[in-house]
Amino acid sequence: MMIRYPNGKPYNKEIEQVQKPKKQQAIKDNNFSNRGKTLEDDLNETNTYYLQRQIATIHKKPVPIQIVKVEYPSRSAAVIREAYFRTPSTTDYNGVWNGYYLDFEAKETESKTSFPLKNIHAHQVEHMKNVIQQKGIAFFIIRFSSLDRYFITPFSIVENAWQQMVRGGRKSIPLQQFEAGAIEMKASYQPRIDYLQAVQQFISEEIERD
Amino acid sequence: MMIRYPNGKPYNKEIEQVQKPKKQQAIKDNNFSNRGKTLEDDLNETNTYYLQRQIATIHKKPVPIQIVKVEYPSRSAAVIREAYFRTPSTTDYNGVWNGYYLDFEAKETESKTSFPLKNIHAHQVEHMKNVIQQKGIAFFIIRFSSLDRYFITPFSIVENAWQQMVRGGRKSIPLQQFEAGAIEMKASYQPRIDYLQAVQQFISEEIERD
């Protein structure tokens, strides 16, 4: 009988042990809740969950690449032989949920005390301003990975900190600001990070203010 | 004096004649209004126009790439040395306009009589169904390039034709169906293809029906 991983790939114990001793070790050291997964893995799983249950249609955008050289071997697929990573001009994730346009960026930090703003690009801040101006919903999903804490963070918190940094202020957002102004989510099994709950809360607060 | 193309690239007559005799011929044959530009060029210009005037925030997604090998030369940028084109799982363009989520695919055909459905992937049709279900606005921008005619086409027209094809019907949409059910736009100077006008019309018709 062939044993398969949840993703359908066959499990081959012998190859696994020979090729990936370090990774296996690393997985053992992690605690149960994050299992060595990145925030991107968590969000991809969450978005697949939302899509399959017709809850929302949200995708990660592909990484932008500047292609310089492509080879076309006969009888096989085109091969890109020289290309470079480009700086994204927008955020990583966008989509639609019940008529709302959602747009967000996901970032992790190893820091236990603050989120460094160097993780964010000026043009992403600019893009999110444009989104808000068009009545879209813009936010950040920030994970303090050493603490395994997730904060769904309204754009306004990052924007304020960004403006202060530009005027010579501090270059990071203290954890306390997330605790006070963002919505903390616990990672769970399915969906991993149920961020639409937090978005619903943003919308309700917005309606109350109006 | 250096002569430049409208896109800013310098014009070098000698190189041009040696390397691209066929393309030059083709450009000469074109009429004034399209100037050898692709539909993608037209839409990028249009989206930049919308963005700069804060009319809408709509972007083309990067081409999805499967990266296999990356080199990290010291003191310079990472170079992708082996990568492959992947089939996109969504459409090429999306964004937000005045609270509306917009999602569309742009396609050109050389045919003068019909649009071949082989230009569209099954998962794109599936994606657009999901968008409509989440109350987003999904449509196609189809250019009959030999005729230089542009049609902003509601998803329903493509979806109906697709369903018929799946049941063994014809594999293309006749030009007459676009003339009857889509909104034709003339290309102009700024913006090149003012497709938001057509989208506004879709929305008004939708409201009337309700």
Side-chain angles (χ1 to χ4, degrees):
Chain A
M1 186 194 150
M2 182 179 276
I3 301 168
R4 289 183 185 276
Y5 283 118
N7 67 9
K9 283 186 189 157
Y11 172 71
N12 186 326
K13 206 181 168 193
E14 224 167 287
I15 291 175
E16 195 72 14
Q17 282 178 343
V18 174
Q19 290 181 343
K20 297 183 180 171
K22 277 187 191 165
K23 203 172 174 194
Q24 282 231 327
Q25 196 57 45
I27 287 169
K28 270 185 203 160
D29 291 343
N30 281 331
N31 65 29
F32 179 79
S33 72
N34 76 45
R35 293 193 193 95
K37 280 180 186 168
T38 64
L39 179 55
E40 185 179 328
D41 294 333
D42 285 340
L43 291 173
N44 287 346
E45 281 179 30
T46 304
N47 290 338
T48 302
Y49 176 94
Y50 288 153
L51 187 64
Q52 286 174 345
R53 283 158 190 78
Q54 303 195 315
I55 295 167
T57 298
I58 294 153
H59 291 271
K60 184 175 189 294
K61 291 187 185 178
V63 177
I65 300 286
Q66 179 72 47
I67 297 170
V68 175
K69 197 172 130 196
V70 183
E71 281 174 13
Y72 299 90
S74 58
R75 274 186 279 261
S76 50
V79 192
I80 297 161
R81 285 293 179 203
E82 187 185 349
Y84 299 89
F85 294 100
R86 289 166 52 198
T87 311
S89 54
T90 65
T91 46
D92 273 358
Y93 299 86
N94 76 355
V96 59
W97 170 55
N98 192 26
Y100 294 106
Y101 172 84
L102 307 188
D103 195 301
F104 63 97
E105 187 66 23
K107 293 288 180 196
E108 297 190 76
T109 179
E110 288 288 328
S111 164
K112 289 175 182 165
T113 55
S114 68
F115 175 77
L117 286 166
K118 69 170 193 293
N119 286 315
I120 298 171
H121 302 293
H123 48 255
Q124 290 178 325
V125 173
E126 204 50 47
H127 169 71
M128 285 173 130
K129 271 191 211 168
N130 290 330
V131 165
I132 301 270
Q133 216 234 334
Q134 293 300 326
K135 303 180 194 164
I137 298 171
F139 56 99
F140 285 84
I141 300 183
I142 305 231
R143 180 182 177 216
F144 284 80
S145 44
S146 308
L147 311 172
D148 202 33
R149 295 179 71 179
Y150 299 79
F151 293 93
I152 320 300
T153 310
F155 173 60
S156 57
I157 289 181
V158 176
E159 193 188 15
N160 291 342
W162 187 272
Q163 293 308 334
Q164 282 174 29
M165 179 186 71
V166 170
R167 285 188 229 106
R170 66 177 288 170
K171 294 186 175 65
S172 63
I173 305 175
L175 177 61
Q176 292 88 321
Q177 275 193 37
F178 291 97
E179 290 173 334
I183 296 171
E184 183 164 7
M185 301 237 93
K186 294 274 165 233
S188 67
Y189 179 58
Q190 268 195 331
R192 285 287 296 161
I193 317 286
D194 195 6
Y195 62 82
L196 288 180
Q197 274 190 35
V199 174
Q200 181 61 65
Q201 207 169 315
F202 294 156
I203 294 167
S204 307
E205 287 166 8
E206 190 79 22
I207 291 166
E208 272 173 34
R209 268 201 300 277
D210 286 349
Chain B
M1 186 198 153
M2 183 180 276
I3 300 169
R4 289 183 184 274
Y5 283 118
N7 66 10
K9 283 187 189 156
Y11 173 71
N12 185 325
K13 207 180 168 191
E14 226 167 284
I15 292 175
E16 196 70 16
Q17 281 177 344
V18 174
Q19 293 181 342
K20 297 183 181 171
K22 278 186 190 165
K23 205 176 173 191
Q24 280 234 325
Q25 195 59 43
I27 288 168
K28 270 186 200 157
D29 292 342
N30 281 334
N31 63 29
F32 177 79
S33 70
N34 77 44
R35 291 193 194 96
K37 279 181 187 169
T38 63
L39 178 55
E40 185 179 327
D41 294 333
D42 286 340
L43 291 173
N44 287 345
E45 282 179 30
T46 304
N47 289 338
T48 302
Y49 176 95
Y50 287 152
L51 188 65
Q52 286 174 345
R53 283 159 191 77
Q54 303 193 313
I55 295 167
T57 298
I58 294 153
H59 291 271
K60 184 175 189 295
K61 290 188 187 177
V63 177
I65 300 286
Q66 180 71 47
I67 297 170
V68 176
K69 197 172 130 194
V70 182
E71 282 174 12
Y72 299 90
S74 58
R75 273 185 281 262
S76 50
V79 192
I80 297 160
R81 284 295 178 203
E82 187 185 349
Y84 299 89
F85 294 101
R86 287 166 53 198
T87 311
S89 53
T90 65
T91 46
D92 274 357
Y93 299 87
N94 76 357
V96 59
W97 169 56
N98 192 26
Y100 294 106
Y101 172 84
L102 307 188
D103 195 299
F104 63 97
E105 186 66 25
K107 291 290 178 194
E108 298 190 77
T109 179
E110 287 289 328
S111 163
K112 289 175 182 163
T113 54
S114 69
F115 175 76
L117 286 166
K118 68 171 194 291
N119 285 316
I120 299 171
H121 302 294
H123 48 256
Q124 289 177 326
V125 173
E126 204 51 45
H127 169 70
M128 286 172 130
K129 270 190 212 168
N130 290 330
V131 165
I132 301 269
Q133 217 234 331
Q134 292 299 328
K135 304 181 194 161
I137 297 171
F139 57 98
F140 285 83
I141 301 183
I142 306 239
R143 180 181 177 217
F144 283 80
S145 44
S146 308
L147 309 172
D148 202 31
R149 295 179 71 179
Y150 298 80
F151 293 93
I152 320 300
T153 310
F155 174 59
S156 57
I157 290 181
V158 175
E159 194 189 13
N160 291 342
W162 187 271
Q163 293 308 334
Q164 282 172 30
M165 180 186 72
V166 170
R167 286 188 229 105
R170 66 177 290 169
K171 295 185 176 63
S172 63
I173 306 175
L175 177 60
Q176 292 88 321
Q177 275 194 34
F178 291 97
E179 290 173 335
I183 296 171
E184 183 165 7
M185 302 236 91
K186 293 275 164 229
S188 68
Y189 180 59
Q190 266 196 334
R192 285 286 296 159
I193 317 286
D194 195 6
Y195 62 83
L196 288 179
Q197 273 191 36
V199 173
Q200 181 61 66
Q201 206 169 315
F202 293 155
I203 294 167
S204 307
E205 286 166 9
E206 190 80 19
I207 292 166
E208 273 173 35
R209 266 202 300 275
D210 285 347

